[in-house]
Amino acid sequence: MDVCEVCGNTYDQSFEIHTRDGAKHTFDSFECAIHQLAPICEHCRCRVVGHGVQVDGHFFCCAHCSRQSSVGSEKIRDAVSTS
């Protein structure tokens, strides 16, 4: 049993997430994983659980938040790989 790095709970069904930079995280729930790892919308400050949108290096939960910010809406794109 591992300890969740967010809430400190010891849980027999905890899981690990390995990030691209080689970091390893242990959580007892997706809720804790989202709290720790999900990006934050630069406009409304909510956690971005879906794809979100990126504009000129800025990250938003949706096109509406991008348009409400000072970042130009004509450059909105899905936050997906271009390769």
Side-chain angles (χ1 to χ4, degrees), residues 23-74:
K24 180 180 83 168
H25 301 276
T26 302
F27 303 106
D28 70 337
S29 66
F30 285 113
E31 180 181 6
C32 285
I34 289 166
H35 176 77
Q36 182 75 18
L37 299 176
I40 298 172
C41 176
E42 292 184 34
H43 179 72
C44 73
R45 309 302 298 165
C46 74
R47 292 285 176 176
V48 181
V49 180
H51 289 137
V53 293
Q54 289 183 7
V55 180
D56 293 335
H58 298 274
F59 201 79
F60 303 96
C61 64
C62 63
H64 172 77
C65 280
S66 173
R67 286 191 295 272
Q68 294 299 308
S69 75
S70 60
V71 179
S73 62
E74 70 280 354

Side-chain angles (χ1 to χ4, degrees), residues 1-43:
M1 291 196 301
D2 291 317
V3 177
C4 177
E5 67 182 61
V6 172
C7 69
N9 187 31
T10 302
Y11 187 51
D12 66 345
Q13 294 182 28
S14 60
F15 57 93
E16 292 181 352
I17 294 180
H18 299 255
T19 59
R20 285 183 179 208
D21 64 2
K24 180 180 83 168
H25 301 276
T26 302
F27 303 106
D28 70 337
S29 66
F30 285 113
E31 180 181 6
C32 285
I34 289 166
H35 176 77
Q36 182 75 18
L37 299 176
I40 298 172
C41 176
E42 292 184 34
H43 179 72

